[in-house]
Amino acid sequence: MAGKRARTAPTRGTTITDIARAAGVSKATVSRVLNGGATVNEEMAKRVRVVIDELGYTPSQTARSLSLGVSRTVGVVVPDLGNPMFHQVLHGFNRAAARDGYRVVVADSFEDPENEAELARDLRDRTDAVALFAPRMTRENLLALLPRVAPVTVFNRTTGKNAGSVLIDYHAGVIELARHLIDLGHRRIAFLAGPSDARSNWERERGLAEVREAEGDVEINDIACGYSFEDGYRAWPAVGASAATAVIAYNDVVALGLLGRLAEEGVSVPGDLSVTGFDDIPFARYSSPSLTTMTASLEDIGRQIWTVLRAEMTDSPIRDPLTFTPALSARGSTRMLP
Amino acid sequence: MAGKRARTAPTRGTTITDIARAAGVSKATVSRVLNGGATVNEEMAKRVRVVIDELGYTPSQTARSLSLGVSRTVGVVVPDLGNPMFHQVLHGFNRAAARDGYRVVVADSFEDPENEAELARDLRDRTDAVALFAPRMTRENLLALLPRVAPVTVFNRTTGKNAGSVLIDYHAGVIELARHLIDLGHRRIAFLAGPSDARSNWERERGLAEVREAEGDVEINDIACGYSFEDGYRAWPAVGASAATAVIAYNDVVALGLLGRLAEEGVSVPGDLSVTGFDDIPFARYSSPSLTTMTASLEDIGRQIWTVLRAEMTDSPIRDPLTFTPALSARGSTRMLP
DNA sequence: TTGAAAGCGCTAACAT
DNA sequence: ATGTTAGCGCTTTCAA
């Protein structure tokens, strides 16, 4: 309402004004007792606190954010919360953020690249910064999005220094994995490839190509697969047909899916077939046989993502990608070829 | 600044005012073209849209929420995003919410009951409603929290009709599981108990107590355990000592952890020991042996949580708890006693 | 159809 | 130490 009163107030519940009135003080005073800092007469402060309690008042974070210009909250967009890998990273991120007084809210894009940008923008509009975990969108879309949602840092995608970036070195990782298998005497290896548009996949492809190059007598076959249990489970016929003695699965989840199928099919692991994963999700240790995989300190990575994001938020961004090289965890699912 | 200008604007980026000025129209007009509905001269509208594009403007959701009083966003507090069970439910919830034009943001409490209430309040302050998934806090705290964060609905805890509530019938479920084992001839059963303060645990305890009552010759031993892989893994010595021929694990994650240990220890499943889980997480189908467990349609449950929350938000809340009874999925980890 | 202005709930500068 | 007031960026009533 222009004029005397504006439009009907869409307000919910008690506001700072109610408290001020009820306590017989100004809003400013209420604000001061709420936020500490300023000096307030102890009498008054007490009275205000009592009223706040009685009326069960909580300040509107929305109003607060608008006024302050910051929310001390950051958003994370994750492609698949169902992959324990992301959960681990998220955990580290969350803890680090909390230590700096920041809250974390997360949005799951459920592997839908269409949704990612909108989710990120929307999240960013309610928070002070966002982290994008392994975005699935095209590089073009990613680069277009970055300035819109800054400060932003990206996990497992490069950004051409247009944003902070933290990477797992899948290239080096997969090479180590392949060498492990080769050292064990394997010469026919199958690679269960992940999503063809994912950086994490072509980094692996690139590493394996180098291994092929270097080791003339080693044969590495690509088998299109995916990233889920199902995908691993369904890969069996192709794996069987390949006559490989060892399988490098795209990640642990895929490897575990395959393991399930192999058990059903009566294929002994590692007797008939060696199998490796990637990520070292918690369950990899408990499968039977336990899974040989590449371990990165996921919590640590989460912590670093926070550090980089924090830098983006302040003075001096860290634009050189931070790279983590995973290490081999040799377990029960691989063995020396007789 | 009282006086001419208030304090330094903590603004970020382009605002509606910039657009209005650049397009030579009023903020009201910009708002109108942004939100459709009202009739705007096509000329003007076009001009505004061009400017918006050029300046890369996105409206502040914070300001919008404050003005509108709603955000078309809801929050979810989850105790452990690492448990695939919650992820499944979240998926169903998310889809249903999206269909109604709502966005979902989630906060992970990482199993810390201390944090839950604060997370929930904070989330609620930025959203229109919240869903609490299996809150770990005491009933007292829960009941105190409910009015503060309404509209709210709770998954897997009762609320005494102080909020919407959706439940999995663990009581009936565990009874069916026990009967399955008993039908298979088992007479000494171990129960790996979950968190002692969780409803989901004592509902199971209650069910098992009834079974004990009804079946004189059946012995069911409680073994304190937990909810994680590790917990299941570590339960072995106690399980072994109990001389049980079958184990009812608190949930799939625990069962899977135990399975891993049993493989290490050379205990054959189901040869030496039958093992059951609960929840039917995706991996349960792929473990070796595949896991006998109780299946509920988790996505469906998520969808229903949304329905109930939606009702809370509008006219007529649904205060009678919605209960889902899970069904047995008998798989490879249980067998008839010889 | 368009613009001016009030107001959403809060914070912080300024004045007292 | 406390109150007054402008303003955060948006929406919407009211007047033109």
Side-chain angles (χ1 to χ4, degrees):
Chain A
M1 16 0 234
K4 291 322 54 171
R5 276 174 340 136
R7 100 198 107 93
T8 308
T11 176
R12 72 164 191 94
T14 320
T15 77
I16 197 172
T17 306
D18 301 328
I19 303 298
R21 192 172 11 243
V25 301
S26 73
K27 299 191 304 177
T29 300
V30 177
S31 178
R32 288 193 267 258
V33 347
L34 241 30
N35 299 304
T39 59
V40 181
N41 179 303
E42 191 43 46
E43 283 293 293
M44 248 175 180
K46 196 168 302 167
R47 191 150 30 106
V48 169
R49 273 188 280 265
V50 169
V51 174
I52 286 179
D53 262 37
E54 275 172 358
L55 276 58
Y57 162 76
T58 10
S60 154
Q61 294 304 321
T62 303
R64 201 152 190 282
S65 298
L66 183 59
S67 183
L68 250 24
V70 301
S71 60
R72 294 197 78 82
T73 300
V74 300
V76 180
V77 181
V78 180
D80 176 20
L81 242 14
N83 186 334
M85 193 266 222
F86 291 117
H87 186 248
Q88 302 258 105
V89 176
L90 193 58
H91 196 15
F93 182 84
N94 219 323
R95 293 173 68 91
R99 217 177 306 120
D100 286 348
Y102 278 78
R103 193 136 320 196
V104 176
V105 299
V106 4
D108 194 331
S109 73
F110 294 100
E111 295 282 356
D112 180 0
E114 304 299 306
N115 254 342
E116 282 180 333
E118 201 187 329
L119 275 178
R121 270 195 298 266
D122 194 276
L123 217 48
R124 177 58 183 86
D125 275 330
R126 333 177 166 275
T127 61
D128 299 345
V130 297
L132 308 177
F133 282 16
R136 305 309 202 203
M137 70 185 88
T138 65
R139 180 168 180 84
E140 185 183 22
N141 287 346
L142 180 61
L143 292 181
L145 176 64
L146 257 18
R148 292 271 235 166
V149 296
V152 53
T153 119
V154 180
F155 171 45
N156 263 346
R157 286 287 291 267
T158 56
T159 61
K161 306 214 177 186
N162 291 296
S165 158
V166 175
L167 303 169
I168 293 181
D169 191 342
Y170 293 115
H171 173 260
V174 83
I175 289 177
E176 184 165 354
L177 213 41
R179 292 229 170 283
H180 168 65
L181 258 15
I182 291 169
D183 289 348
L184 291 176
H186 295 274
R187 289 296 174 269
R188 271 199 316 283
I189 300 175
F191 171 58
L192 297 186
S196 54
D197 47 334
R199 162 190 174 272
S200 55
N201 188 61
W202 37 264
E203 285 289 288
R204 287 164 167 94
E205 300 271 20
R206 202 163 60 81
L208 292 177
E210 291 180 23
V211 174
R212 276 193 201 96
E213 194 77 18
E215 309 279 338
D217 62 330
V218 174
E219 191 183 303
I220 305 180
N221 292 110
D222 278 23
I223 296 177
C225 183
Y227 58 85
S228 69
F229 284 125
E230 318 280 333
D231 294 326
Y233 184 87
R234 282 196 295 252
W236 163 241
V239 170
S242 76
T245 62
V247 174
I248 297 180
Y250 171 64
N251 65 18
D252 286 351
V253 172
V254 168
L256 262 10
L258 177 64
L259 242 40
R261 178 64 171 272
L262 294 174
E264 279 183 27
E265 302 284 343
V267 178
S268 151
V269 177
D272 302 330
L273 192 63
S274 286
V275 174
T276 66
F278 210 115
D279 290 341
D280 198 17
I281 64 175
F283 191 70
R285 197 174 282 101
Y286 303 111
S287 64
S288 51
S290 58
L291 189 64
T292 293
T293 188
M294 296 301 296
T295 304
S297 176
L298 265 15
E299 294 242 349
D300 226 58
I301 290 173
R303 203 167 10 254
Q304 292 306 326
I305 297 173
W306 171 251
T307 305
V308 174
L309 185 55
R310 195 77 180 99
E312 288 286 324
M313 284 192 265
T314 56
D315 42 347
S316 43
I318 304 169
R319 288 293 169 84
D320 283 304
L322 223 64
T323 304
F324 285 78
T325 305
L328 179 72
S329 288
R331 302 211 181 99
S333 66
T334 49
R335 70 148 189 181
M336 179 77 74
L337 217 52
Chain B
M1 31 328 257
K4 291 316 58 160
R5 276 176 338 137
R7 99 197 106 92
T8 307
T11 174
R12 75 164 190 94
T14 320
T15 76
I16 198 173
T17 307
D18 300 328
I19 303 297
R21 188 165 22 234
V25 301
S26 73
K27 299 192 301 177
T29 300
V30 177
S31 178
R32 288 184 188 113
V33 346
L34 241 30
N35 299 306
T39 59
V40 181
N41 179 303
E42 191 43 48
E43 282 293 294
M44 251 177 178
K46 197 168 303 168
R47 193 151 29 110
V48 169
R49 272 188 281 265
V50 169
V51 174
I52 287 178
D53 261 37
E54 275 173 357
L55 275 57
Y57 163 75
T58 8
S60 155
Q61 295 304 320
T62 304
R64 199 150 193 284
S65 299
L66 182 58
S67 185
L68 250 26
V70 301
S71 61
R72 293 196 79 81
T73 300
V74 301
V76 180
V77 182
V78 180
D80 176 19
L81 242 13
N83 186 333
M85 193 267 223
F86 291 119
H87 186 248
Q88 302 256 106
V89 176
L90 192 59
H91 197 14
F93 182 83
N94 219 320
R95 293 173 68 91
R99 217 175 308 120
D100 286 349
Y102 277 78
R103 193 134 320 195
V104 176
V105 298
V106 7
D108 193 331
S109 72
F110 295 98
E111 295 282 356
D112 180 358
E114 304 299 306
N115 254 341
E116 282 180 334
E118 201 187 329
L119 275 178
R121 271 195 299 266
D122 194 275
L123 218 48
R124 176 60 183 83
D125 276 330
R126 327 177 170 277
T127 61
D128 299 343
V130 296
L132 308 177
F133 281 17
R136 307 308 203 206
M137 69 185 87
T138 64
R139 179 169 182 83
E140 185 183 21
N141 287 346
L142 180 60
L143 292 181
L145 176 64
L146 257 18
R148 292 270 236 167
V149 296
V152 53
T153 119
V154 181
F155 170 45
N156 264 346
R157 287 285 292 266
T158 56
T159 61
K161 306 214 179 188
N162 292 295
S165 159
V166 175
L167 304 169
I168 292 181
D169 191 342
Y170 293 115
H171 173 260
V174 82
I175 289 177
E176 184 165 352
L177 214 41
R179 293 231 171 281
H180 168 66
L181 292 172
I182 292 169
D183 289 349
L184 291 176
H186 295 275
R187 289 296 173 271
R188 271 199 317 282
I189 299 174
F191 171 58
L192 297 187
S196 53
D197 46 336
R199 162 190 173 271
S200 55
N201 189 62
W202 36 265
E203 284 290 287
R204 287 165 168 93
E205 300 271 19
R206 202 162 60 79
L208 292 176
E210 291 179 23
V211 174
R212 276 193 202 94
E213 195 77 17
E215 310 279 337
D217 61 331
V218 174
E219 191 182 302
I220 304 179
N221 292 110
D222 278 22
I223 296 177
C225 183
Y227 57 86
S228 69
F229 285 125
E230 317 280 334
D231 294 326
Y233 184 87
R234 282 196 295 253
W236 162 243
V239 170
S242 75
T245 61
V247 175
I248 296 179
Y250 171 64
N251 65 17
D252 286 351
V253 172
V254 169
L256 262 9
L258 176 64
L259 242 40
R261 179 64 170 272
L262 294 174
E264 279 183 29
E265 303 283 343
V267 178
S268 151
V269 177
D272 302 330
L273 191 64
S274 286
V275 174
T276 66
F278 210 113
D279 290 342
D280 197 17
I281 63 177
F283 191 68
R285 197 175 282 100
Y286 303 111
S287 65
S288 51
S290 58
L291 190 65
T292 293
T293 188
M294 296 301 295
T295 304
S297 175
L298 265 15
E299 294 242 349
D300 226 61
I301 290 174
R303 205 170 4 256
Q304 292 307 326
I305 297 173
W306 170 253
T307 305
V308 174
L309 184 55
R310 195 77 181 98
E312 287 287 324
M313 284 193 265
T314 57
D315 41 346
S316 43
I318 304 168
R319 287 296 169 81
D320 283 304
L322 222 64
T323 303
F324 285 78
T325 305
L328 179 71
S329 288
R331 302 211 181 98
S333 67
T334 48
R335 68 148 192 182
M336 179 77 74
L337 217 52

